[in-house]
Amino acid sequence: MPDGAASRSGKGAPVRLDRVSFSYGEAPLVFDVDFAASKITAIMGPSGSGKSTLLNLVAGFETPRSGRVLIGGVDVSAEPPSTRPVSMVFQENNLFAHLCVEQNVGLGRSPSLRLTEADRAAIAEALARTGLGGKEKRLPRELSGGERQRVALARVLVRDRPVLLLDEPFASLGPALRDDMLDLVATVHAERGMTVLFVTHQPEDARRIGQDMVFLDNGLVTATGKADDFFTGAGPEAFRRYIGGAGDVVSRDIARKRT
Ligand SMILES: Nc1ncnc2c1ncn2[C@@H]1O[C@H](COP(=O)(O)OP(=O)(O)OP(=O)(O)O)[C@@H](O)[C@H]1O
């Protein structure tokens, strides 16, 4: 499939930030970086380094001061979020409080909730996959935090866009549930091959599903490469300092897996 509009559904599309600058009124953030099609890239960096801003620029919630955002080779810089070939899951507040689970997921299919039979079948399948069968009519406030994030994931499943943006979506969950969710993302990624940009502060989460790594520091991309290389000590000094002792644990896990 050629890059471009054709890659708006189905397989992953490459994402490029071409000398994108952005400012909230203070020092500018400048991003010049490529995310490979159909890879899961972990985005890490100290608090305030610009990770969420980068995702918001890709999603269209923020507009570059200069430079271009390209998805599948197409300049989407002037497009609103709704027309970009992107889905996003935030740390919280992904759901509409007055809509039930089924409707919240249905929005991924049709913003007006005019759903076809095929849409309803896709919604039922996504709810089953995320373990939400039987909870279709519940409101978000009647769900646990983990269940709410699963609804957000189910919506992403039915939306089926070539790019998935995850902004610490599982940060508030316990470790076992977090691992389950990460595994679900990895399984869906293996099936569909969408491009995933995954912001996380957790080295073990980045290690679990990340294939590539983009490291931000102070509003700039300061290192990119294979995630494994970062965790086996080949990453920049700033990365090692950032993850501190967690690096040793993750490296040991990698060594154990390989023996
Ligand atoms: N709405 C806003 N208004 C003004 N400044 C903002 C706004 N959002 C973020 N910033 C600033 O922009 C910079 C980058 O913020 P961003 O949220 O992208 O960082 P982050 O790496 O995602 O941080 P964290 O890991 O803490 O979530 C920070 O200096 C932050 O204070």
PDB file of all heavy atoms in Angstrom, residues 22-27 29 31 44-56 62 91 167-168 199 201 216 219 242, ligand 1:
ATOM      1  N   PHE A  22       6.847  24.197  18.948  1.00  0.00           N
ATOM      2  CA  PHE A  22       5.607  24.470  19.669  1.00  0.00           C
ATOM      3  C   PHE A  22       5.978  25.164  20.967  1.00  0.00           C
ATOM      4  O   PHE A  22       7.006  24.856  21.570  1.00  0.00           O
ATOM      5  CB  PHE A  22       4.873  23.158  19.971  1.00  0.00           C
ATOM      6  CG  PHE A  22       3.626  23.372  20.748  1.00  0.00           C
ATOM      7  CD1 PHE A  22       2.461  23.782  20.119  1.00  0.00           C
ATOM      8  CD2 PHE A  22       3.617  23.229  22.123  1.00  0.00           C
ATOM      9  CE1 PHE A  22       1.303  24.021  20.846  1.00  0.00           C
ATOM     10  CE2 PHE A  22       2.464  23.472  22.859  1.00  0.00           C
ATOM     11  CZ  PHE A  22       1.302  23.862  22.217  1.00  0.00           C
ATOM     12  N   SER A  23       5.117  26.080  21.407  1.00  0.00           N
ATOM     13  CA  SER A  23       5.406  26.734  22.686  1.00  0.00           C
ATOM     14  C   SER A  23       4.110  27.046  23.408  1.00  0.00           C
ATOM     15  O   SER A  23       3.125  27.454  22.796  1.00  0.00           O
ATOM     16  CB  SER A  23       6.177  28.030  22.424  1.00  0.00           C
ATOM     17  OG  SER A  23       6.250  28.762  23.614  1.00  0.00           O
ATOM     18  N   TYR A  24       4.131  26.825  24.728  1.00  0.00           N
ATOM     19  CA  TYR A  24       2.996  27.244  25.561  1.00  0.00           C
ATOM     20  C   TYR A  24       3.221  28.674  26.044  1.00  0.00           C
ATOM     21  O   TYR A  24       2.535  29.136  26.929  1.00  0.00           O
ATOM     22  CB  TYR A  24       2.872  26.336  26.781  1.00  0.00           C
ATOM     23  CG  TYR A  24       2.383  24.944  26.478  1.00  0.00           C
ATOM     24  CD1 TYR A  24       3.262  23.868  26.512  1.00  0.00           C
ATOM     25  CD2 TYR A  24       1.052  24.700  26.191  1.00  0.00           C
ATOM     26  CE1 TYR A  24       2.824  22.574  26.260  1.00  0.00           C
ATOM     27  CE2 TYR A  24       0.602  23.418  25.938  1.00  0.00           C
ATOM     28  CZ  TYR A  24       1.482  22.368  25.973  1.00  0.00           C
ATOM     29  OH  TYR A  24       1.049  21.105  25.728  1.00  0.00           O
ATOM     30  N   GLY A  25       4.226  29.333  25.487  1.00  0.00           N
ATOM     31  CA  GLY A  25       4.517  30.699  25.903  1.00  0.00           C
ATOM     32  C   GLY A  25       5.855  30.797  26.606  1.00  0.00           C
ATOM     33  O   GLY A  25       6.344  31.885  26.867  1.00  0.00           O
ATOM     34  N   GLU A  26       6.444  29.643  26.889  1.00  0.00           N
ATOM     35  CA  GLU A  26       7.767  29.653  27.519  1.00  0.00           C
ATOM     36  C   GLU A  26       8.781  29.153  26.481  1.00  0.00           C
ATOM     37  O   GLU A  26       8.617  29.385  25.308  1.00  0.00           O
ATOM     38  CB  GLU A  26       7.750  28.765  28.770  1.00  0.00           C
ATOM     39  CG  GLU A  26       6.782  29.291  29.821  1.00  0.00           C
ATOM     40  CD  GLU A  26       6.450  28.249  30.887  1.00  0.00           C
ATOM     41  OE1 GLU A  26       7.221  27.299  31.057  1.00  0.00           O
ATOM     42  OE2 GLU A  26       5.399  28.411  31.510  1.00  0.00           O
ATOM     43  N   ALA A  27       9.806  28.440  26.926  1.00  0.00           N
ATOM     44  CA  ALA A  27      10.812  27.933  25.985  1.00  0.00           C
ATOM     45  C   ALA A  27      10.141  27.002  24.983  1.00  0.00           C
ATOM     46  O   ALA A  27       9.263  26.216  25.351  1.00  0.00           O
ATOM     47  CB  ALA A  27      11.885  27.183  26.759  1.00  0.00           C
ATOM     48  N   LEU A  29       9.368  23.893  22.459  1.00  0.00           N
ATOM     49  CA  LEU A  29       9.708  22.475  22.315  1.00  0.00           C
ATOM     50  C   LEU A  29       9.938  22.261  20.823  1.00  0.00           C
ATOM     51  O   LEU A  29       9.212  22.820  19.997  1.00  0.00           O
ATOM     52  CB  LEU A  29       8.546  21.601  22.794  1.00  0.00           C
ATOM     53  CG  LEU A  29       8.113  21.808  24.249  1.00  0.00           C
ATOM     54  CD1 LEU A  29       6.745  22.484  24.320  1.00  0.00           C
ATOM     55  CD2 LEU A  29       8.053  20.482  24.976  1.00  0.00           C
ATOM     56  N   PHE A  31      10.520  19.221  17.956  1.00  0.00           N
ATOM     57  CA  PHE A  31      10.534  17.781  17.694  1.00  0.00           C
ATOM     58  C   PHE A  31      10.843  17.517  16.231  1.00  0.00           C
ATOM     59  O   PHE A  31      10.142  18.009  15.344  1.00  0.00           O
ATOM     60  CB  PHE A  31       9.174  17.161  18.039  1.00  0.00           C
ATOM     61  CG  PHE A  31       8.756  17.361  19.464  1.00  0.00           C
ATOM     62  CD1 PHE A  31       7.568  18.008  19.768  1.00  0.00           C
ATOM     63  CD2 PHE A  31       9.551  16.906  20.507  1.00  0.00           C
ATOM     64  CE1 PHE A  31       7.174  18.192  21.084  1.00  0.00           C
ATOM     65  CE2 PHE A  31       9.170  17.084  21.832  1.00  0.00           C
ATOM     66  CZ  PHE A  31       7.980  17.724  22.112  1.00  0.00           C
ATOM     67  N   MET A  44       9.859   7.984  26.345  1.00  0.00           N
ATOM     68  CA  MET A  44      10.190   8.185  27.758  1.00  0.00           C
ATOM     69  C   MET A  44      10.933   9.506  27.918  1.00  0.00           C
ATOM     70  O   MET A  44      11.439  10.074  26.949  1.00  0.00           O
ATOM     71  CB  MET A  44      11.043   7.017  28.280  1.00  0.00           C
ATOM     72  CG  MET A  44      10.339   5.679  28.178  1.00  0.00           C
ATOM     73  SD  MET A  44      11.184   4.357  29.079  1.00  0.00           S
ATOM     74  CE  MET A  44      10.687   4.730  30.758  1.00  0.00           C
ATOM     75  N   GLY A  45      11.006   9.953  29.158  1.00  0.00           N
ATOM     76  CA  GLY A  45      11.728  11.188  29.442  1.00  0.00           C
ATOM     77  C   GLY A  45      11.214  11.785  30.729  1.00  0.00           C
ATOM     78  O   GLY A  45      10.102  11.461  31.164  1.00  0.00           O
ATOM     79  N   PRO A  46      12.008  12.652  31.345  1.00  0.00           N
ATOM     80  CA  PRO A  46      11.612  13.228  32.629  1.00  0.00           C
ATOM     81  C   PRO A  46      10.288  13.974  32.539  1.00  0.00           C
ATOM     82  O   PRO A  46       9.865  14.384  31.455  1.00  0.00           O
ATOM     83  CB  PRO A  46      12.760  14.201  32.943  1.00  0.00           C
ATOM     84  CG  PRO A  46      13.900  13.761  32.096  1.00  0.00           C
ATOM     85  CD  PRO A  46      13.314  13.115  30.883  1.00  0.00           C
ATOM     86  N   SER A  47       9.667  14.146  33.673  1.00  0.00           N
ATOM     87  CA  SER A  47       8.430  14.900  33.760  1.00  0.00           C
ATOM     88  C   SER A  47       8.650  16.302  33.178  1.00  0.00           C
ATOM     89  O   SER A  47       9.642  16.955  33.493  1.00  0.00           O
ATOM     90  CB  SER A  47       8.037  14.988  35.237  1.00  0.00           C
ATOM     91  OG  SER A  47       6.785  15.556  35.340  1.00  0.00           O
ATOM     92  N   GLY A  48       7.739  16.724  32.309  1.00  0.00           N
ATOM     93  CA  GLY A  48       7.853  18.051  31.705  1.00  0.00           C
ATOM     94  C   GLY A  48       8.730  18.089  30.468  1.00  0.00           C
ATOM     95  O   GLY A  48       8.925  19.154  29.878  1.00  0.00           O
ATOM     96  N   SER A  49       9.232  16.946  30.028  1.00  0.00           N
ATOM     97  CA  SER A  49      10.133  16.949  28.864  1.00  0.00           C
ATOM     98  C   SER A  49       9.365  17.101  27.548  1.00  0.00           C
ATOM     99  O   SER A  49       9.976  17.333  26.503  1.00  0.00           O
ATOM    100  CB  SER A  49      10.989  15.670  28.839  1.00  0.00           C
ATOM    101  OG  SER A  49      10.178  14.511  28.820  1.00  0.00           O
ATOM    102  N   GLY A  50       8.038  16.921  27.567  1.00  0.00           N
ATOM    103  CA  GLY A  50       7.256  17.175  26.352  1.00  0.00           C
ATOM    104  C   GLY A  50       6.567  15.966  25.751  1.00  0.00           C
ATOM    105  O   GLY A  50       6.067  16.028  24.625  1.00  0.00           O
ATOM    106  N   LYS A  51       6.469  14.875  26.485  1.00  0.00           N
ATOM    107  CA  LYS A  51       5.915  13.621  25.934  1.00  0.00           C
ATOM    108  C   LYS A  51       4.437  13.801  25.543  1.00  0.00           C
ATOM    109  O   LYS A  51       4.038  13.441  24.435  1.00  0.00           O
ATOM    110  CB  LYS A  51       6.061  12.477  26.963  1.00  0.00           C
ATOM    111  CG  LYS A  51       7.504  12.246  27.390  1.00  0.00           C
ATOM    112  CD  LYS A  51       7.644  11.136  28.404  1.00  0.00           C
ATOM    113  CE  LYS A  51       6.982  11.399  29.748  1.00  0.00           C
ATOM    114  NZ  LYS A  51       7.550  12.550  30.494  1.00  0.00           N
ATOM    115  N   SER A  52       3.645  14.333  26.474  1.00  0.00           N
ATOM    116  CA  SER A  52       2.212  14.508  26.161  1.00  0.00           C
ATOM    117  C   SER A  52       2.036  15.530  25.047  1.00  0.00           C
ATOM    118  O   SER A  52       1.161  15.359  24.180  1.00  0.00           O
ATOM    119  CB  SER A  52       1.448  14.987  27.397  1.00  0.00           C
ATOM    120  OG  SER A  52       1.485  14.005  28.393  1.00  0.00           O
ATOM    121  N   THR A  53       2.851  16.560  25.058  1.00  0.00           N
ATOM    122  CA  THR A  53       2.749  17.580  24.008  1.00  0.00           C
ATOM    123  C   THR A  53       3.015  16.956  22.645  1.00  0.00           C
ATOM    124  O   THR A  53       2.306  17.241  21.669  1.00  0.00           O
ATOM    125  CB  THR A  53       3.743  18.723  24.283  1.00  0.00           C
ATOM    126  OG1 THR A  53       3.486  19.243  25.590  1.00  0.00           O
ATOM    127  CG2 THR A  53       3.619  19.830  23.265  1.00  0.00           C
ATOM    128  N   LEU A  54       4.006  16.078  22.579  1.00  0.00           N
ATOM    129  CA  LEU A  54       4.307  15.408  21.300  1.00  0.00           C
ATOM    130  C   LEU A  54       3.079  14.623  20.813  1.00  0.00           C
ATOM    131  O   LEU A  54       2.662  14.733  19.659  1.00  0.00           O
ATOM    132  CB  LEU A  54       5.526  14.494  21.468  1.00  0.00           C
ATOM    133  CG  LEU A  54       6.151  13.932  20.197  1.00  0.00           C
ATOM    134  CD1 LEU A  54       7.619  13.556  20.459  1.00  0.00           C
ATOM    135  CD2 LEU A  54       5.434  12.722  19.657  1.00  0.00           C
ATOM    136  N   LEU A  55       2.470  13.847  21.707  1.00  0.00           N
ATOM    137  CA  LEU A  55       1.278  13.082  21.298  1.00  0.00           C
ATOM    138  C   LEU A  55       0.146  14.022  20.879  1.00  0.00           C
ATOM    139  O   LEU A  55      -0.556  13.752  19.898  1.00  0.00           O
ATOM    140  CB  LEU A  55       0.791  12.171  22.429  1.00  0.00           C
ATOM    141  CG  LEU A  55       1.622  10.955  22.813  1.00  0.00           C
ATOM    142  CD1 LEU A  55       0.757   9.941  23.552  1.00  0.00           C
ATOM    143  CD2 LEU A  55       2.282  10.281  21.627  1.00  0.00           C
ATOM    144  N   ASN A  56      -0.021  15.116  21.636  1.00  0.00           N
ATOM    145  CA  ASN A  56      -1.101  16.049  21.299  1.00  0.00           C
ATOM    146  C   ASN A  56      -0.898  16.716  19.939  1.00  0.00           C
ATOM    147  O   ASN A  56      -1.857  17.046  19.240  1.00  0.00           O
ATOM    148  CB  ASN A  56      -1.236  17.113  22.396  1.00  0.00           C
ATOM    149  CG  ASN A  56      -1.880  16.542  23.651  1.00  0.00           C
ATOM    150  OD1 ASN A  56      -2.666  15.600  23.584  1.00  0.00           O
ATOM    151  ND2 ASN A  56      -1.539  17.091  24.805  1.00  0.00           N
ATOM    152  N   GLU A  62      -2.989  20.010  19.649  1.00  0.00           N
ATOM    153  CA  GLU A  62      -2.135  21.204  19.621  1.00  0.00           C
ATOM    154  C   GLU A  62      -1.677  21.412  18.182  1.00  0.00           C
ATOM    155  O   GLU A  62      -1.571  20.449  17.412  1.00  0.00           O
ATOM    156  CB  GLU A  62      -0.894  21.031  20.524  1.00  0.00           C
ATOM    157  CG  GLU A  62      -1.185  20.754  21.992  1.00  0.00           C
ATOM    158  CD  GLU A  62      -1.768  21.937  22.751  1.00  0.00           C
ATOM    159  OE1 GLU A  62      -2.018  23.003  22.143  1.00  0.00           O
ATOM    160  OE2 GLU A  62      -1.997  21.782  23.960  1.00  0.00           O
ATOM    161  N   GLN A  91      -4.512   8.937  30.281  1.00  0.00           N
ATOM    162  CA  GLN A  91      -4.396   8.286  31.591  1.00  0.00           C
ATOM    163  C   GLN A  91      -5.776   8.128  32.239  1.00  0.00           C
ATOM    164  O   GLN A  91      -6.040   7.154  32.930  1.00  0.00           O
ATOM    165  CB  GLN A  91      -3.478   9.107  32.494  1.00  0.00           C
ATOM    166  CG  GLN A  91      -3.179   8.421  33.801  1.00  0.00           C
ATOM    167  CD  GLN A  91      -2.063   9.114  34.574  1.00  0.00           C
ATOM    168  OE1 GLN A  91      -1.359   9.962  34.018  1.00  0.00           O
ATOM    169  NE2 GLN A  91      -1.912   8.766  35.827  1.00  0.00           N
ATOM    170  N   ASP A 167      -1.145   7.629  26.109  1.00  0.00           N
ATOM    171  CA  ASP A 167      -0.482   8.561  27.022  1.00  0.00           C
ATOM    172  C   ASP A 167      -0.612   8.042  28.456  1.00  0.00           C
ATOM    173  O   ASP A 167      -1.553   8.381  29.154  1.00  0.00           O
ATOM    174  CB  ASP A 167      -1.090   9.961  26.889  1.00  0.00           C
ATOM    175  CG  ASP A 167      -0.208  11.018  27.549  1.00  0.00           C
ATOM    176  OD1 ASP A 167       0.813  10.646  28.176  1.00  0.00           O
ATOM    177  OD2 ASP A 167      -0.538  12.211  27.446  1.00  0.00           O
ATOM    178  N   GLU A 168       0.303   7.203  28.849  1.00  0.00           N
ATOM    179  CA  GLU A 168       0.296   6.569  30.179  1.00  0.00           C
ATOM    180  C   GLU A 168      -1.082   6.004  30.528  1.00  0.00           C
ATOM    181  O   GLU A 168      -1.615   6.294  31.601  1.00  0.00           O
ATOM    182  CB  GLU A 168       0.705   7.582  31.248  1.00  0.00           C
ATOM    183  CG  GLU A 168       2.094   8.137  31.052  1.00  0.00           C
ATOM    184  CD  GLU A 168       2.578   8.838  32.305  1.00  0.00           C
ATOM    185  OE1 GLU A 168       2.862   8.129  33.284  1.00  0.00           O
ATOM    186  OE2 GLU A 168       2.639  10.068  32.306  1.00  0.00           O
ATOM    187  N   VAL A 199       3.575   6.526  25.525  1.00  0.00           N
ATOM    188  CA  VAL A 199       4.250   7.314  26.563  1.00  0.00           C
ATOM    189  C   VAL A 199       4.156   6.574  27.891  1.00  0.00           C
ATOM    190  O   VAL A 199       3.066   6.182  28.313  1.00  0.00           O
ATOM    191  CB  VAL A 199       3.594   8.709  26.705  1.00  0.00           C
ATOM    192  CG1 VAL A 199       4.073   9.414  27.965  1.00  0.00           C
ATOM    193  CG2 VAL A 199       3.895   9.566  25.486  1.00  0.00           C
ATOM    194  N   HIS A 201       6.238   6.184  31.987  1.00  0.00           N
ATOM    195  CA  HIS A 201       7.338   6.436  32.934  1.00  0.00           C
ATOM    196  C   HIS A 201       7.908   5.125  33.451  1.00  0.00           C
ATOM    197  O   HIS A 201       8.889   5.132  34.188  1.00  0.00           O
ATOM    198  CB  HIS A 201       6.816   7.230  34.147  1.00  0.00           C
ATOM    199  CG  HIS A 201       6.748   8.701  33.918  1.00  0.00           C
ATOM    200  ND1 HIS A 201       7.861   9.494  33.867  1.00  0.00           N
ATOM    201  CD2 HIS A 201       5.701   9.530  33.705  1.00  0.00           C
ATOM    202  CE1 HIS A 201       7.506  10.746  33.640  1.00  0.00           C
ATOM    203  NE2 HIS A 201       6.197  10.793  33.541  1.00  0.00           N
ATOM    204  N   LEU A 216      13.043  11.794  25.322  1.00  0.00           N
ATOM    205  CA  LEU A 216      12.934  13.256  25.296  1.00  0.00           C
ATOM    206  C   LEU A 216      13.602  13.845  26.529  1.00  0.00           C
ATOM    207  O   LEU A 216      13.550  13.250  27.618  1.00  0.00           O
ATOM    208  CB  LEU A 216      11.465  13.707  25.314  1.00  0.00           C
ATOM    209  CG  LEU A 216      10.508  13.231  24.232  1.00  0.00           C
ATOM    210  CD1 LEU A 216       9.184  14.000  24.348  1.00  0.00           C
ATOM    211  CD2 LEU A 216      11.083  13.410  22.860  1.00  0.00           C
ATOM    212  N   GLY A 219      12.207  19.174  26.182  1.00  0.00           N
ATOM    213  CA  GLY A 219      11.555  19.652  24.961  1.00  0.00           C
ATOM    214  C   GLY A 219      12.227  19.267  23.664  1.00  0.00           C
ATOM    215  O   GLY A 219      11.883  19.797  22.607  1.00  0.00           O
ATOM    216  N   TYR A 242      17.951   8.711  34.101  1.00  0.00           N
ATOM    217  CA  TYR A 242      16.507   8.854  34.265  1.00  0.00           C
ATOM    218  C   TYR A 242      15.891   7.589  34.867  1.00  0.00           C
ATOM    219  O   TYR A 242      15.086   7.666  35.797  1.00  0.00           O
ATOM    220  CB  TYR A 242      15.859   9.181  32.914  1.00  0.00           C
ATOM    221  CG  TYR A 242      14.361   9.059  32.932  1.00  0.00           C
ATOM    222  CD1 TYR A 242      13.579   9.901  33.724  1.00  0.00           C
ATOM    223  CD2 TYR A 242      13.713   8.088  32.179  1.00  0.00           C
ATOM    224  CE1 TYR A 242      12.215   9.771  33.765  1.00  0.00           C
ATOM    225  CE2 TYR A 242      12.346   7.949  32.211  1.00  0.00           C
ATOM    226  CZ  TYR A 242      11.597   8.790  32.999  1.00  0.00           C
ATOM    227  OH  TYR A 242      10.243   8.645  33.057  1.00  0.00           O
TER     228      TYR A 242
HETATM  229  N1  LIG B   1      -1.577  23.598  28.959  1.00  0.00           N
HETATM  230  C1  LIG B   1      -0.339  24.014  29.242  1.00  0.00           C
HETATM  231  N2  LIG B   1      -0.081  25.318  29.448  1.00  0.00           N
HETATM  232  C2  LIG B   1       1.178  25.775  29.696  1.00  0.00           C
HETATM  233  N3  LIG B   1       2.264  24.962  29.774  1.00  0.00           N
HETATM  234  C3  LIG B   1       2.051  23.650  29.606  1.00  0.00           C
HETATM  235  C4  LIG B   1       0.761  23.094  29.332  1.00  0.00           C
HETATM  236  N4  LIG B   1       0.884  21.749  29.198  1.00  0.00           N
HETATM  237  C5  LIG B   1       2.185  21.469  29.395  1.00  0.00           C
HETATM  238  N5  LIG B   1       2.898  22.603  29.624  1.00  0.00           N
HETATM  239  C6  LIG B   1       4.352  22.688  29.838  1.00  0.00           C
HETATM  240  O1  LIG B   1       4.993  22.164  28.677  1.00  0.00           O
HETATM  241  C7  LIG B   1       6.093  21.337  29.031  1.00  0.00           C
HETATM  242  C8  LIG B   1       5.897  19.916  28.497  1.00  0.00           C
HETATM  243  O2  LIG B   1       4.770  19.331  29.148  1.00  0.00           O
HETATM  244  P1  LIG B   1       4.262  17.846  28.844  1.00  0.00           P
HETATM  245  O3  LIG B   1       2.982  17.674  29.578  1.00  0.00           O
HETATM  246  O4  LIG B   1       4.266  17.645  27.383  1.00  0.00           O
HETATM  247  O5  LIG B   1       5.434  16.984  29.504  1.00  0.00           O
HETATM  248  P2  LIG B   1       5.469  15.431  29.847  1.00  0.00           P
HETATM  249  O6  LIG B   1       6.822  14.966  29.436  1.00  0.00           O
HETATM  250  O7  LIG B   1       4.289  14.755  29.234  1.00  0.00           O
HETATM  251  O8  LIG B   1       5.349  15.462  31.426  1.00  0.00           O
HETATM  252  P3  LIG B   1       4.782  14.358  32.477  1.00  0.00           P
HETATM  253  O9  LIG B   1       5.703  13.172  32.386  1.00  0.00           O
HETATM  254  O10 LIG B   1       4.880  15.053  33.793  1.00  0.00           O
HETATM  255  O11 LIG B   1       3.360  14.043  32.076  1.00  0.00           O
HETATM  256  C9  LIG B   1       6.211  21.419  30.553  1.00  0.00           C
HETATM  257  O12 LIG B   1       7.136  22.416  30.865  1.00  0.00           O
HETATM  258  C10 LIG B   1       4.823  21.822  30.993  1.00  0.00           C
HETATM  259  O13 LIG B   1       4.867  22.545  32.189  1.00  0.00           O
END
